[in-house]
Amino acid sequence: SQQGEEDPQALSIQEGENATMNCSYKTSINNLQWYRQNSGRGLVHLILIRSNEREKHSGRLRVTLDTSKKSSSLLITASRAADTASYFCATDQNNAGNMLTFGGGTRLMVKP
Amino acid sequence: DVKVTQSSRYLVKRTGEKVFLECVQDMDHENMFWYRQDPGLGLRLIYFSYDVKMKEKGDIPEGYSVSREKKERFSLILESASTNQTSMYLCASSSQGSPIYEQYFGPGTRLTVT
């Protein structure tokens, strides 16, 4: 079953614009992670936010978490053509954090 | 640099064949995972292993089995491949000791069953 649902499914923007992707989930979590996947490749971990955190930054990435609404957002500022990829949120399913449940992803296209 | 490798990037098999997908990680991770990825469905967990010879079913284990004889290697087996198993298969590993629990992924194997 999918825990995380990303919105929108696809997003197309111009280079230099900001891109915002949202993720909603159904059950309580310990942490939420965002991953990136270039076309036809494996996923790469971007950032993790714990359930007791509200916001986290990493370079041009900003992640927020609202546990009351069971939602998270990933903001990429000043986007570049190289940011074109699919972005997935993933939530843990148990306290050990061994398993993650991934959403369907947002396909981001950044036009030069 | 951490690395997860998968035995093939592309694989074409016939219906009914037995298929082995191999995954090797060099990070001494305890946990290893097999996912399949299909358009619009995201990643779905097939099986995972938290130790040598240990395995747990994920969300969609039917039609698959796994083997973990050594810590660094996790194999996914399709006993009798069917066309509905055509998909991208991703292997991942993670550390139990890390507080982060991020998963490291291999490049994927695109399997086509004809």
Side-chain angles (χ1 to χ4, degrees), chain A residues 60-73:
Chain A
R60 293 184 296 112
L61 305 180
R62 181 172 80 99
V63 170
T64 61
L65 180 64
D66 186 335
T67 52
S68 66
K69 295 181 180 178
K70 293 187 168 61
S71 67
S72 172
S73 67

Side-chain angles (χ1 to χ4, degrees), chain B residues 29-82:
Chain B
H29 282 166
E30 294 84 1
N31 302 323
M32 295 189 75
F33 309 83
W34 274 107
Y35 296 91
R36 66 176 280 176
Q37 183 178 25
D38 302 286
L41 296 177
L43 274 72
R44 292 180 291 167
L45 182 65
I46 305 172
Y47 269 98
F48 78 98
S49 169
Y50 53 89
D51 201 351
V52 175
K53 297 191 186 294
M54 305 303 290
K55 60 184 179 184
E56 294 284 344
K57 292 180 180 179
D59 295 324
I60 51 165
E62 297 78 19
Y64 304 94
S65 62
V66 290
S67 172
R68 192 160 180 207
E69 297 295 319
K70 293 184 177 181
K71 190 176 185 181
E72 68 271 18
R73 188 179 298 269
F74 193 34
S75 302
L76 180 69
I77 303 154
L78 286 66
E79 294 289 342
S80 177
S82 63

Side-chain angles (χ1 to χ4, degrees), chain A residues 31-102:
Chain A
N31 66 62
L32 185 145
Q33 304 180 30
W34 284 91
Y35 287 79
R36 165 196 169 122
Q37 183 182 34
N38 285 8
S39 180
R41 309 294 296 186
L43 278 72
V44 175
H45 180 263
L46 292 176
I47 195 166
L48 177 149
I49 186 165
R50 299 187 188 283
S51 59
N52 61 356
E53 296 176 313
R54 291 297 167 258
E55 188 169 313
K56 203 159 184 183
H57 296 254
S58 177
R60 293 184 296 112
L61 305 180
R62 181 172 80 99
V63 170
T64 61
L65 180 64
D66 186 335
T67 52
S68 66
K69 295 181 180 178
K70 293 187 168 61
S71 67
S72 172
S73 67
L74 170 67
L75 168 68
I76 304 174
T77 59
S79 65
R80 304 167 183 167
D83 294 328
T84 295
S86 291
Y87 293 83
F88 296 86
C89 68
T91 54
D92 63 336
Q93 285 185 304
N94 54 46
N95 289 331
N98 289 325
M99 292 199 300
L100 296 175
T101 303
F102 289 81

